[in-house]
Amino acid sequence: MSKRPEYFDKYETLKFDRTDDGVLTVRWHSNDGPVLYGAQHHQEWAPAFTDIGNDRGNRVVVFTGTGDVFIDRHGEWGAPITTPRDFDVPSWGEKMMFRRMFEIEAPIICACNGPALIHGELMVLGDINLASTTARFADEGHFTAGEVPGDGVHILWQELIGINRAKYFLMTGQHIDAQEALRLGVVNEVLEPDQLMPRAMELAHQMATYDDLTLRYTRQCFVDRWKQLFNDQVGVGYGMALQALAHLDRGWMVWDKSNEGSEHYRSLRRLYPKDRADAGEGREAKS
């Protein structure tokens, strides 16, 4: 068995495991429990994808979450975002996250283990996308929380479900359940929770029987479309700049509680009473 790569123990929000045939499993978590999303998660994704892509021992990659959710809550951001320089940090990280993911030259299987309401794009950007029957997809981190959906979700969802459906989805906080996601072509299979990872690993090990170059070059053929889309016109960089301008002009954000006392924010709650994205609200990370 090959030596355990050092980056497997480098990140606090991601866990890694690799089988002898080169199937790498990457699991999102918070303290080894379901994710309570925050700045640290976001900061680790781009460098983690870089390490994954640089390791040619990774022949097939499986992405999944922990427990019964992928990411269903946004915790307190914990980093200042009050100046353009502050906002440049997550903006750069977002650009690099997609860029480094698309540079992984190994087929990716996404196994969505439950609600993906924050950064759900991470569970539908695979070459094969699987979902638990308990999965739901939404974008609770942007428009319904007062933010511009310019971090890549504007590209992804228009491509996957069509322009009109995507605009409605992003602007109303709509939830798409697993069966509807299957009908729309967002995911390829829907499985019972206890069958999700066995099926993901079955597909991964099947792929791993192919030669290295077949795997790498097949991935390159399929991922090129995403590379073009995410750099075209209002791509992630410009989209994040638009998000920053609106954010700084507004003067508050949900994730650091600066929304408290804002009449503008209260008006949003009247429009979107079912939104559950208040900072600190919801699931606590398991210890």
Side-chain angles (χ1 to χ4, degrees), residues 51-213:
D51 286 333
I52 293 167
N54 286 341
D55 186 349
R56 294 178 71 87
N58 297 324
R59 305 181 65 245
V60 182
V61 179
V62 178
F63 287 151
T64 193
T66 299
D68 59 356
V69 303
F70 177 61
I71 305 176
D72 70 341
R73 294 292 189 274
H74 198 311
E76 192 165 346
W77 184 252
I81 303 184
T82 56
T83 69
R85 184 178 295 272
D86 291 338
F87 209 98
D88 182 64
V89 175
S91 297
W92 178 86
E94 192 77 7
K95 287 186 293 184
M96 291 300 104
M97 178 189 82
F98 289 117
R99 187 174 301 174
R100 299 312 185 204
M101 178 190 286
F102 297 150
E103 288 174 349
I104 295 173
E105 293 185 356
I108 292 177
I109 299 172
C110 292
C112 187
N113 57 307
L117 313 182
I118 304 290
H119 280 293
E121 71 274 7
L122 294 169
M123 285 290 98
V124 296
L125 272 171
D127 301 297
I128 292 178
N129 299 313
L130 310 178
S132 164
T133 55
T134 61
R136 286 179 288 121
F137 300 94
D139 182 52
E140 294 191 350
H142 294 106
F143 195 76
T144 60
E147 301 284 349
V148 174
D151 71 343
V153 295
H154 62 299
I155 304 168
L156 170 87
W157 289 107
Q158 289 187 83
E159 177 71 6
L160 287 184
I161 64 176
I163 294 173
N164 285 348
R165 284 196 189 102
K167 289 187 292 185
Y168 181 86
F169 172 77
L170 293 171
M171 297 179 76
T172 66
Q174 179 189 18
H175 285 212
I176 295 175
D177 65 24
Q179 288 298 331
E180 180 67 0
L182 179 64
R183 187 186 74 82
L184 293 172
V186 174
V187 301
N188 305 112
E189 297 182 23
V190 174
L191 302 114
E192 293 299 326
D194 62 348
Q195 294 301 310
L196 179 68
M197 285 308 294
R199 177 56 174 159
M201 298 307 291
E202 176 188 9
L203 289 167
H205 290 306
Q206 179 182 347
M207 290 184 192
T209 64
Y210 286 77
D211 291 339
D212 286 349
L213 293 188

